[in-house]
């Protein structure tokens, strides 16, 4: 007989959106750090996604992925948060939230603030001691953008592809 009451173990909104950000990060070709972002409206609709990579037309096979040296990836890679903002073609992001697997840098913080995003939900904060993240947090605080760390639930989600 089929069950007549609702499932109780559906994933939560936070698990859903951070899950989408984590899945997006899997698209990144960066050998060292893969970051994913998912922008969500105030009524929980996904508006955009992004991951870190080189701009359109700049081949992953031709541009450098090394971190050091005169020519390196930092000149070319677009951060996941900026990609998610730029990927959105629907109009305003005023009042939206962004789920991101790594705390945004100062440059992305500027774009987040100026686009009208009002809340950041982040997972990792491995660069918290760097000046870019310290500057980022300073601006976000001044601009009234809320930040909260994603609380990991320990749930394992398996997807067979
Ligand atoms: N919030 C972020 N979003 C991002 O998309 N990134 C990207 C830029 C690089 O491609 C990579 C960082 O490389 P690494 O310095 O850990 O080898 O992650 C980095 C940060 C850190 O602030
Ligand atoms: Zn950034």
């Amino acid at each position: 007989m089929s069950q007549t009451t609702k499932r109780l173990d559906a994933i939560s909104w936070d698990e859903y959106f951070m899950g989408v950000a984590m899945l997006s990060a899997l698209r990144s070709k960066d050998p060292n750090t893969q970051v994913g972002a998912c922008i969500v409206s105030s009524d929980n609709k996904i508006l955009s996604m992004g991951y870190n990579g080189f701009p359109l037309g700049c081949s992953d096979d031709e541009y450098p992925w090394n971190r050091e040296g005169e020519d390196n990836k930092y000149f070319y890679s677009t951060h996941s948060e900026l990609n998610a903002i730029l990927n959105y073609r629907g109009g305003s992001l005023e009042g939206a939230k962004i789920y991101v697997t790594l705390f945004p840098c100062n440059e992305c913080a500027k774009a987040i603030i100026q686009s009208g995003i009002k809340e950041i939900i982040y997972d990792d904060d491995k660069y918290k001691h760097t000046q870019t993240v310290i500057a980022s947090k300073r601006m976000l605080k001044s601009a009234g953008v809320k930040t909260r760390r994603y609380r990991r639930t320990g749930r394992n989600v398996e997807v067979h592809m």
Side-chain angles (χ1 to χ4, degrees):
M1 232 175 39
S2 65
Q3 199 173 320
T4 54
T5 52
K6 74 170 187 183
R7 277 180 70 212
L8 295 173
D9 58 348
I11 57 172
S12 68
W13 286 121
D14 264 10
E15 286 174 317
Y16 181 30
F17 300 134
M18 190 55 84
V20 168
M22 288 170 172
L23 192 65
S24 303
L26 297 181
R27 281 281 308 151
S28 177
K29 316 300 181 301
D30 191 314
N32 195 53
T33 302
Q34 303 82 40
V35 189
C38 175
I39 301 178
V40 180
S41 69
S42 54
D43 58 349
N44 290 329
K45 289 173 184 148
I46 293 177
L47 301 176
S48 189
M49 285 158 274
Y51 55 89
N52 54 321
F54 299 143
L56 282 177
C58 304
S59 166
D60 293 315
D61 300 315
E62 288 169 24
Y63 282 73
W65 280 115
N66 46 290
R67 308 177 74 222
E68 275 144 26
E70 210 176 320
D71 196 25
N72 59 64
K73 68 177 179 182
Y74 298 106
F75 289 113
Y76 309 109
S77 65
T78 308
H79 290 192
S80 71
E81 305 92 308
L82 187 61
N83 268 332
I85 290 170
L86 297 173
N87 285 343
Y88 184 61
R89 304 292 161 87
S92 173
L93 290 175
E94 195 66 46
K97 311 174 264 192
I98 187 166
Y99 285 75
V100 59
T101 60
L102 180 60
F103 198 94
C105 74
N106 61 315
E107 291 297 334
C108 290
K110 295 176 200 174
I112 288 168
I113 293 166
Q114 293 305 82
S115 69
I117 292 173
K118 290 292 183 294
E119 186 178 5
I120 298 168
I121 302 96
Y122 62 96
D123 184 36
D124 196 2
D125 196 9
K126 68 173 177 173
Y127 289 131
K128 66 179 167 199
H129 298 302
T130 66
Q131 200 52 45
T132 64
V133 172
I134 293 166
S136 168
K137 287 180 180 169
R138 181 181 177 183
M139 288 187 282
L140 293 167
K141 192 165 183 227
S142 297
V145 176
K146 251 177 73 180
T147 61
R148 71 175 162 91
R149 189 163 201 162
Y150 172 70
R151 200 185 290 256
R152 288 220 176 181
T153 62
R155 189 199 283 263
N156 270 314
V157 178
E158 244 182 272
V159 184
H160 298 277
M161 289 187 264

